[in-house]
Amino acid sequence: MAARGRPRTFVPDTALRQALQVFWERGYEGTSLNDLAEAMGIASASIYAYFGNKEDLFRKVMALYGATSGEPPRRALREQPTTRAAIHAMLRATADQITGPDDPHYCMLILAAPTGAVENHAVREFLADLRLDMLNTVKDRLARGVAEGDLTLSPGGLDALARYYTTVVQGLSIQARDGADRAELEAVITCAMAAWDALAGPSARPSSDPLG
């Protein structure tokens, strides 16, 4: 009697990164389980056994995306010393990420979302929650600026400014997907930062933007 073949082994982290690339390139609805199995180099049954169904796998992929490609803009918000510099650095980090040579030119949070099928409602809501978290992250950085004294805004103005710059981030992704290069996105960022003084109001104390 012939010996039963050994189960095919795989490295989960590597397989997850391969799944990330497929979802990133094709979006959630455009990706089939067969696409994922082929890219990950494992059988569909192994995907279910280790990662769960397609939605479960996508949620794990988005966690990986957030910890890798999604991290530089958030880090810029955390680490820059002034609010203006933090917003400027966030926009530039976003532009860098979505025009890199090795990945699709758009943000997964914006353009990988499902659009039609009723059964994908939970995924749409999941991505909407992630986008809301990004808005709240920007809002928290603006609130920190108010607390530290380099920004003067009412609560309503703070919310509006956070929504404005989050919308700029989302627009950069759409522009990149449609072919805008890094220099063209930088021109958009320059315009967005030129609006800072009018939108943010006078600073309570002098501040500088090391990014220019």
Side-chain angles (χ1 to χ4, degrees), residues 11 18 37-38 54 56 95 108 112 126 129 133 140-141 151-152 158 166-167 169-170 199:
V11 179
Q18 291 163 335
E38 181 177 354
K54 178 182 168 183
D56 294 332
M108 284 188 74
F126 166 66
D129 286 344
D133 180 68
D140 288 346
R141 182 60 184 89
L151 187 63
T152 304
L158 190 150
T166 303
T167 300
V169 168
Q170 294 169 350
L199 296 171

Side-chain angles (χ1 to χ4, degrees), residues 44-200:
S44 298
S46 296
I47 294 178
Y48 278 111
Y50 197 90
F51 298 104
N53 62 20
K54 178 182 168 183
E55 181 181 334
D56 294 332
L57 175 58
F58 183 69
R59 289 172 182 266
K60 292 179 174 67
V61 157
M62 290 309 301
L64 174 62
Y65 177 83
T68 53
S69 296
E71 173 59 17
R74 291 175 181 271
R75 184 167 62 245
L77 285 175
R78 292 194 304 268
E79 294 181 353
Q80 290 297 324
T82 68
T83 312
R84 188 185 195 282
I87 296 297
H88 198 178
M90 174 193 70
L91 296 179
R92 283 185 160 177
T94 297
D96 289 341
Q97 290 301 119
I98 60 179
T99 56
D102 299 325
D103 295 313
H105 287 181
Y106 54 82
C107 170
M108 284 188 74
L109 288 181
I110 311 304
L111 296 170
T115 57
V118 174
E119 63 269 22
N120 293 327
H121 175 75
V123 176
R124 285 195 295 274
E125 291 298 309
F126 166 66
L127 289 172
D129 286 344
L130 292 179
R131 290 191 294 272
L132 179 60
D133 180 68
M134 185 61 197
L135 168 64
N136 288 333
T137 300
V138 174
K139 191 182 299 186
D140 288 346
R141 182 60 184 89
L142 297 179
R144 172 183 152 191
V146 172
E148 293 177 349
D150 77 351
L151 187 63
T152 304
L153 279 177
S154 67
L158 190 150
D159 180 78
L161 192 63
R163 290 183 183 279
Y164 172 75
Y165 281 106
T166 303
T167 300
V168 173
V169 168
Q170 294 169 350
L172 290 173
S173 183
I174 294 172
Q175 288 289 310
R177 181 198 60 183
D178 290 346
D181 62 23
R182 181 63 181 80
E184 290 167 329
L185 296 187
E186 185 66 29
V188 174
I189 293 169
T190 298
C191 291
M193 295 313 301
W196 174 267
D197 292 336
L199 296 171

